[in-house]
Amino acid sequence: MRDIVRIKSFSNGLKIHMDENASMDELTAALESKLSSSRKFFGNNSVAIAFEGKVLTEAEEDLVCNLITMHTDLQIVCIISDEPETEDYFGSVLRSMQEEKERSDVY
């Protein structure tokens, strides 16, 4: 069986590669299986998410994010697209989001 969903974990995020030739039903089933079996591995963290492979619509991105939050204890802070998905980049995005949240909490 081919691996239609691959998840690469970084300290500040996840990169999810989905086979561009697979249907969304196949992808969501494979993702649910991977997430359910790896719940403890992911822990309870705030993460940025990046998608590779299949181009997803906004509704499909929402579906995938909902699956992630249902089957893990992760909090998705943002989705990164069309940017370099490096650990440093994930970290800078999360720091910016946290700083923005802290500024808005003050007012």
Side-chain angles (χ1 to χ4, degrees):
M1 184 176 155
R2 65 181 195 206
D3 198 12
I4 62 172
V5 175
R6 293 186 311 271
I7 302 172
K8 173 108 179 180
S9 176
F10 294 91
S11 61
N12 295 306
L14 297 176
K15 185 184 333 181
I16 301 175
H17 179 85
M18 298 181 168
D19 186 317
E20 60 190 24
N21 298 315
S23 71
M24 275 310 290
D25 288 338
E26 291 174 309
L27 293 169
T28 55
L31 182 61
E32 279 184 286
S33 175
K34 282 185 182 275
L35 293 171
S36 294
S37 65
S38 303
R39 185 178 202 120
K40 286 185 181 181
F41 171 78
F42 292 119
N44 182 6
N45 297 299
S46 296
V47 296
I49 301 288
F51 298 110
E52 287 185 336
K54 189 171 190 79
V55 177
L56 302 177
T57 65
E58 189 173 326
E60 290 168 337
E61 285 183 357
D62 288 344
L63 172 64
V64 171
C65 289
N66 287 336
L67 288 175
I68 293 168
T69 57
M70 282 175 36
H71 295 285
T72 69
D73 297 315
L74 296 172
Q75 177 187 2
I76 299 171
V77 176
C78 63
I79 297 173
I80 300 170
S81 60
D82 299 320
E83 298 290 341
E85 293 101 12
T86 64
E87 187 171 350
D88 291 339
Y89 187 71
F90 281 142
S92 68
V93 169
L94 287 172
R95 282 189 296 279
S96 295
M97 297 291 290
Q98 183 63 32
E99 289 169 4
E100 183 65 32
K101 182 183 181 308
E102 288 171 2
R103 279 194 296 273
S104 66
D105 287 347
V106 172
Y107 299 106

